[in-house]
Amino acid sequence: MADKVFTVLDLLELELPEHSQLHLKCIGGRTSLANVISVSEINRPGLALTGFYDSFANGCVQLFGSAEGAYLKKLYAENNIQSLTQMFQYGIPCLIFVKMLEPPKEFIKLAESSGCAVLQTELELTEFTMRLSRVFANVFAPKKTLHGVLVEVYGIGILLTGHSGVGKSECALELVERGHRLVADDIVEIRSVNGNSILGQGANTLISHHMEIRGLGIINIAQMYGVGSIREQKEIQLVIRLEEWDNSKVYDRVGNNLESVDMLGVKVPTIEIPVKPGRNLPIIIEAAAMNERLKARGYNSARDFNQNILKWIETGEVQNAYYGMDDSY
């Protein structure tokens, strides 16, 4: 379910890239554009037009293709509109006609009197269905906001977390300086897509590519480093927790402890990097990104290291090395 109410008017006013444009326009029922679209499914009301309403998905957007359009005209030609009158009694948010199909004027009047908006698109049925499904997958995806910085490093989406003042923004600024890209600073909105991946973007797209650097103030990354230094959204593939170095804490030195964090029901790998003067965090994060890419290709450095150690032990060379050590020092 979406975090806020999503209406038919919101659907009409969506700002989408050209390859995702829905090309919708309202051809009837403008007073009903405030109708709420509450579910992400799309329904083709073929059975409903014949008068069968068991399990009718009335809360969905109703999509009319060539078959539905032809049958609709047949019903009006035969003056048999009882099923249509019954359909609108279920409370439909909106109807959409594809391929610029023109419904009968009587049908538009019936929809308007029933409080249903009528929309039209120039797209073919299959193409429009795919685009609308992608839009709904985004609109109705579970969402939440997090405090952190999201960057893209070597193609890997990395979310930097940690308490305020630990150096997340400064680290991200150095990564941008080294040719990587900023997605969002400070407040990151995440959403689950298809239940198996997490996309992140700025909670406020107008200020998401601005960065606060203590002692310097607010800077605009896109203006300073060019549009190639930013991107609008990115899948989060790794979470890095930055924390102040704690001498009493034992940190992972091999990489065998594979941890993950639950983000909206999706497990995302996470590592912890201690921060202290002299550590070059940007280089460490670059190495973490490249290591994550290797893991995606099936290679695990820590596992390979352990296997090599075991082979070394099995060959007996470790005993020779141990007994051959010079104890004079």
Side-chain angles (χ1 to χ4, degrees):
M1 185 68 180
D3 292 337
K4 63 178 182 179
V5 172
F6 185 73
T7 66
V8 179
L9 181 60
D10 293 327
L11 181 62
L12 279 170
E13 295 183 341
L14 282 175
E15 294 184 5
L16 300 168
E18 181 59 34
H19 65 275
S20 297
Q21 285 287 343
L22 299 176
H23 301 287
L24 286 170
K25 66 177 182 178
C26 181
I27 60 174
R30 293 185 179 277
T31 57
S32 302
L33 291 178
N35 288 351
V36 175
I37 301 175
S38 58
V39 293
S40 60
E41 288 79 14
I42 306 167
N43 186 57
R44 294 185 64 183
L47 288 175
L49 294 178
T50 67
F52 183 79
Y53 289 96
D54 292 358
S55 302
F56 175 47
N58 60 292
C60 304
V61 169
Q62 306 296 317
L63 198 57
F64 281 69
S66 299
E68 290 83 2
Y71 190 72
L72 193 61
K73 292 180 179 179
K74 179 177 181 295
L75 291 177
Y76 274 96
E78 297 174 352
N79 196 24
N80 181 19
I81 64 170
Q82 182 179 355
S83 61
L84 301 179
T85 304
Q86 186 178 356
M87 180 179 70
F88 284 115
Q89 292 176 355
Y90 283 85
I92 300 169
C94 73
L95 311 168
I96 301 178
F97 287 84
V98 300
K99 294 175 60 177
M100 299 301 288
L101 292 174
E102 292 286 349
K105 293 182 180 179
E106 296 82 0
F107 181 77
I108 294 179
K109 291 180 180 179
L110 179 60
E112 290 177 333
S113 64
S114 303
C116 178
V118 183
L119 311 181
Q120 185 186 63
T121 178
E122 65 188 42
L123 297 175
E124 297 283 340
L125 178 63
T126 302
E127 179 65 23
F128 180 77
T129 302
M130 290 192 299
R131 294 190 185 191
L132 186 59
S133 296
R134 288 197 298 264
V135 167
F136 281 169
N138 179 38
V139 169
F140 291 94
K143 299 177 183 178
K144 68 181 296 186
T145 56
L146 301 173
H147 177 67
V149 181
L150 181 56
V151 290
E152 182 194 58
V153 181
Y154 295 132
I156 299 293
I158 298 178
L159 178 66
L160 303 177
T161 65
H163 64 76
S164 181
V166 76
K168 299 184 296 296
S169 295
E170 289 81 356
C171 183
L173 181 61
E174 176 63 24
L175 288 169
V176 171
E177 180 72 33
R178 296 169 70 90
H180 306 294
R181 296 197 283 184
L182 173 72
V183 182
D185 179 62
D186 195 27
I187 303 297
V188 180
E189 180 186 87
I190 64 172
R191 64 183 185 276
S192 172
V193 179
N194 299 323
N196 56 20
S197 63
I198 298 294
L199 285 182
Q201 64 180 30
N204 186 326
T205 56
L206 296 178
I207 61 174
S208 59
H209 297 132
H210 290 71
M211 184 178 287
E212 177 193 357
I213 303 297
R214 285 174 172 80
L216 181 61
I218 304 296
I219 60 175
N220 187 323
I221 296 299
Q223 292 293 328
M224 292 182 65
Y225 295 94
V227 293
S229 65
I230 62 171
R231 64 175 300 165
E232 297 301 321
Q233 63 179 9
K234 176 65 182 175
E235 180 184 355
I236 299 177
Q237 298 152 287
L238 179 65
V239 176
I240 295 181
R241 300 193 304 269
L242 302 180
E243 67 164 31
E244 297 288 349
W245 188 290
D246 184 353
N247 290 326
S248 64
K249 188 172 181 178
V250 178
Y251 294 102
D252 186 11
R253 300 181 64 178
V254 178
N256 278 329
N257 298 329
L258 302 178
E259 298 184 7
S260 62
V261 60
D262 186 286
M263 305 179 77
L264 298 175
V266 179
K267 298 293 185 181
V268 180
T270 181
I271 60 176
E272 188 176 70
I273 297 181
V275 178
K276 72 175 183 180
R279 299 203 85 195
N280 193 325
L281 289 181
I283 288 182
I284 296 174
I285 292 173
E286 285 180 335
M290 288 187 285
N291 192 46
E292 197 63 27
R293 292 189 66 175
L294 285 174
K295 288 180 180 179
R297 291 174 172 264
Y299 177 80
N300 188 306
S301 299
R303 183 179 59 204
D304 186 61
F305 176 79
N306 282 339
Q307 290 175 349
N308 289 335
I309 290 294
L310 291 174
K311 290 179 181 178
W312 185 39
I313 294 174
E314 290 172 355
T315 60
E317 292 182 10
V318 63
Q319 296 181 8
N320 297 332
Y322 176 78
Y323 290 117
M325 291 177 62
D326 190 347
D327 294 332
S328 60
Y329 291 98

